[in-house]
């Protein structure tokens, strides 16, 4: 009886520690990863890409991006990002079957936080906040964490932490992405946990 109880508790403990997704970028190919709109290089446990201006125009002013196909509703997504001085923006997006659900837009001015209410006819976004204190450091790794729980999103960027709320955030998600415009950006240590 004791050994059966121990096995049940041990199994439960191990299940909690297993992430939904973990990308250490040690390999150029991963089943759930789609790196596109540029030549992504995988080295030193990071993915790095420099925007190609012709591809940017071809993709209607959308820069390089890494998508992860993953079904989730509530999750914690963590990654580190390093933009160079030519970078104008890094974007994290949680997407649902109907389109975008939640987005962080980093620029030199700080971070914009957006929700995408499904009732909007053009799937227009609304602002949940503009944070001047949440900036990515040029040439340095910045840790980013997004915890989506029901109608709330808790965002951590370096030392900055804030929780945002909107009903649309509770929608089921089908993928997530990290993309950027201009310059060179590196991404590492992407993990998604329940």
């Amino acid at each position: 009886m004791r050994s059966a109880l121990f096995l049940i508790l041990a199994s439960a403990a191990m299940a909690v520690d297993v992430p939904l997704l973990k990308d250490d970028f040690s390999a150029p190919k991963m089943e759930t990863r789609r790196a596109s709109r540029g030549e992504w290089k995988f080295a030193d446990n990071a993915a790095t890409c420099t925007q190609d201006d012709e591809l940017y125009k071809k993709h209607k002013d959308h820069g390089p991006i890494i998508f992860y196909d993953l079904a989730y509703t509530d999750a914690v997504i963590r990654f580190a990002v390093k933009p160079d001085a030519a970078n104008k923006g890094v974007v994290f997006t949680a997407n649902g079957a109907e389109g975008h659900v939640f987005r962080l837009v980093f620029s030199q001015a700080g971070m914009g936080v957006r929700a995408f209410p499904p009732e909007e006819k053009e799937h227009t976004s609304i602002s949940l906040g503009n944070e001047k204190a949440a900036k990515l450091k040029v040439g340095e790794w910045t840790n980013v964490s997004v915890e989506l729980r029901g109608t709330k999103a808790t965002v951590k960027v370096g030392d900055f932490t804030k929780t945002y709320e909107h009903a649309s955030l509770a929608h089921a998600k089908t993928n997530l992405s990290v993309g950027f415009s201009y310059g060179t950006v590196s991404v590492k240590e992407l993990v998604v946990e329940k």
Side-chain angles (χ1 to χ4, degrees):
M1 180 72 175
R2 285 180 128 177
S3 61
L5 181 59
F6 175 77
L7 287 174
I8 291 170
L9 291 173
S11 295
M14 286 192 303
V16 171
D17 293 335
V18 175
L20 296 172
L21 174 80
K22 183 175 182 179
D23 192 353
D24 65 5
F25 299 103
S26 60
K29 299 284 184 196
M30 182 177 175
E31 186 177 329
T32 57
R33 181 200 318 135
R34 292 181 283 129
S36 62
R37 298 188 205 143
E39 186 180 331
W40 286 90
K41 296 177 181 161
F42 298 86
D44 301 321
N45 290 86
T48 302
C49 189
T50 300
Q51 178 183 296
D52 177 310
D53 292 341
E54 286 183 29
L55 285 175
Y56 184 76
K57 288 296 178 195
K58 178 182 175 185
H59 291 284
K60 300 178 183 172
D61 297 339
H62 286 77
I65 192 164
I66 299 177
F67 281 103
Y68 292 90
D69 298 315
L70 178 69
Y72 63 100
T73 300
D74 292 344
V76 178
I77 301 105
R78 292 188 315 271
F79 59 95
V81 63
K82 180 171 71 170
D84 72 357
N87 176 257
K88 292 187 181 178
V90 173
V91 179
F92 164 82
T93 307
N95 298 298
E98 303 299 316
H100 305 318
V101 175
F102 178 76
R103 176 173 277 171
L104 301 177
V105 180
F106 296 96
S107 70
Q108 295 170 350
M111 175 184 72
V113 182
R114 314 289 300 173
F116 294 79
E119 61 275 3
E120 296 291 329
K121 292 183 183 199
E122 299 295 320
H123 203 65
T124 309
S125 69
I126 60 167
S127 176
L128 299 182
N130 289 301
E131 312 297 345
K132 291 179 182 176
K135 292 184 180 181
L136 301 178
K137 296 175 184 174
V138 172
E140 296 181 33
W141 290 106
T142 302
N143 292 318
V144 177
S145 172
V146 178
E147 181 174 0
L148 298 167
R149 299 273 178 232
T151 60
K152 294 182 180 179
T154 300
V155 177
K156 297 178 184 178
V157 179
D159 295 332
F160 173 89
T161 302
K162 189 169 180 178
T163 299
Y164 307 87
E165 187 165 8
H166 193 274
S168 66
L169 302 182
H171 284 58
K173 289 85 173 170
T174 57
N175 70 39
L176 59 102
S177 64
V178 178
F180 71 94
S181 297
Y182 298 99
T184 299
V185 169
S186 296
V187 181
K188 71 176 183 177
E189 301 169 355
L190 190 134
V191 178
V192 181
E193 297 174 316
K194 275 279 191 188

